Amino acid sequence: MVLILFGAPGVGKGTVGTHLSKNLNIPLISSGDILRRNVKEETELGNRAKSFMEKGALVPDEIIIKMVKEEVSGLKKGFILDGFPRTLNQAEELEMIMSNSSYQVIHLEAQDNFLIKRLSERRICKNCGAIYHLVNIPPEREGICDCCRGPLYQREDDQEKVVKERLSVFHSETKPIVNYYRKKGVLKSVDGSLPLQKIVNLIKEKIDHDSDKEQKGN
Ligand code: AMP
């Protein structure tokens, strides 16, 4: 099964995806993480992507499509996508990448003001990538990861000015995908401002419901 987690920056795709990945036992593929890894390792594609990411702009389709294609090739049991697709062109390319696999899209929705506040209080572990929130999911010890004791940091693109740019890009370039998936009948909406466990449970219910229908041949 392929599950696409769709939604604005900061709505919780990464955190929700990490929980679902453990629950469903399929890997989480985050396009943002793939890009950050390439930037850190100074690969050719990473060097090309860097300046777009710093501004909060989208990385050109040809770069990210190539990276995601490589990452998901051979994942026979399925996967969860976080942050991809972000343009209609990416959505169409993804259809080809997935060939005949069935897929569902979960649209996590929340207001921009809520997201700006949430992102400015997000902290990430430099070592293992665990995600914290200064108020909602604080680490036991300030600035230190509970899982691996690594240092926590704020992503440069989580600063308010860049967050506002990322949200504006989301509304103009990414949101049109909602209609694309709605027409295909694969889109389910979930309130992204609910507590994490509630969101995870709601998504699992929606997926279970759909696999039941598939098994009954509806
Ligand atoms: P994220 O961690 O998903 O918020 O992504 C961080 C940044 O990586 C974004 O602001 C974009 O610059 C870039 N990025 C991630 N995924 C994509 C994508 N599917 N298409 C284009 N750019 C992307």
Side-chain angles (χ1 to χ4, degrees):
M1 178 231 292
V2 176
L3 188 64
I4 299 171
L5 294 178
F6 181 85
V11 77
K13 301 184 296 294
T15 315
V16 170
T18 305
H19 276 71
L20 285 170
S21 165
K22 282 185 196 142
N23 261 279
L24 305 172
N25 202 21
I26 48 174
L28 173 68
I29 310 294
S30 152
S31 52
D33 283 351
I34 300 173
L35 282 162
R36 280 183 287 280
R37 196 173 69 222
N38 275 271
V39 170
K40 197 168 160 201
E41 290 169 3
E42 298 185 0
T43 65
E44 192 214 322
L45 291 180
N47 289 339
R48 283 174 59 200
K50 192 167 182 241
S51 62
F52 295 95
M53 295 171 76
E54 282 170 352
K55 287 189 295 218
L58 291 186
V59 166
D61 281 350
E62 32 138 349
I63 297 182
I64 188 64
I65 289 168
K66 193 157 185 264
M67 288 178 174
V68 170
K69 217 179 213 170
E70 271 170 27
E71 199 82 13
V72 303
S73 75
L75 294 178
K76 298 263 180 300
K77 269 175 63 191
F79 47 87
I80 301 170
L81 279 174
D82 154 18
F84 188 94
R86 260 172 154 107
T87 62
L88 272 177
N89 183 32
Q90 290 178 19
E92 283 160 5
E93 285 285 336
L94 182 60
E95 296 277 327
M96 286 189 263
I97 295 173
M98 293 186 302
S99 53
N100 292 324
S101 312
S102 67
Y103 68 93
Q104 296 177 53
V105 184
I106 302 292
H107 182 192
L108 291 171
E109 294 192 85
Q111 300 285 329
D112 283 7
N113 284 346
F114 173 87
L115 298 172
I116 293 169
K117 187 156 167 40
R118 184 190 262 180
L119 280 179
S120 61
E121 287 167 352
R122 177 163 78 172
R123 297 294 180 270
I124 296 169
C125 173
K126 220 167 202 144
N127 273 352
C128 71
I131 302 168
Y132 295 86
H133 182 275
L134 296 183
V135 180
N136 301 340
I137 324 171
E140 280 165 21
R141 281 175 56 199
E142 199 185 323
I144 311 258
C145 177
D146 295 348
C147 312
C148 73
R149 302 280 155 218
L152 303 186
Y153 79 108
Q154 181 180 35
R155 267 170 49 178
E156 277 188 30
D157 62 352
D158 278 351
Q159 285 160 24
E160 192 168 327
K161 190 167 157 257
V162 188
V163 167
K164 286 186 174 156
E165 177 57 25
R166 287 164 66 199
L167 284 169
S168 138
V169 168
F170 172 75
H171 288 294
S172 59
E173 296 183 51
T174 304
K175 199 86 185 279
I177 301 181
V178 166
N179 269 338
Y180 174 86
Y181 284 129
R182 189 171 286 136
K183 279 188 199 142
K184 286 185 176 283
V186 291
L187 189 78
K188 304 266 159 61
S189 288
V190 172
D191 181 351
S193 63
L194 293 170
L196 173 63
Q197 199 51 53
K198 181 113 200 192
I199 295 178
V200 171
N201 290 344
L202 279 171
I203 295 177
K204 279 171 61 191
E205 273 170 29
K206 287 179 192 278
I207 304 172
D208 287 348
H209 181 70
D210 265 33
S211 6
D212 281 356
K213 276 206 307 197
E214 263 172 39
Q215 273 163 22
K216 286 179 193 151
N218 284 336

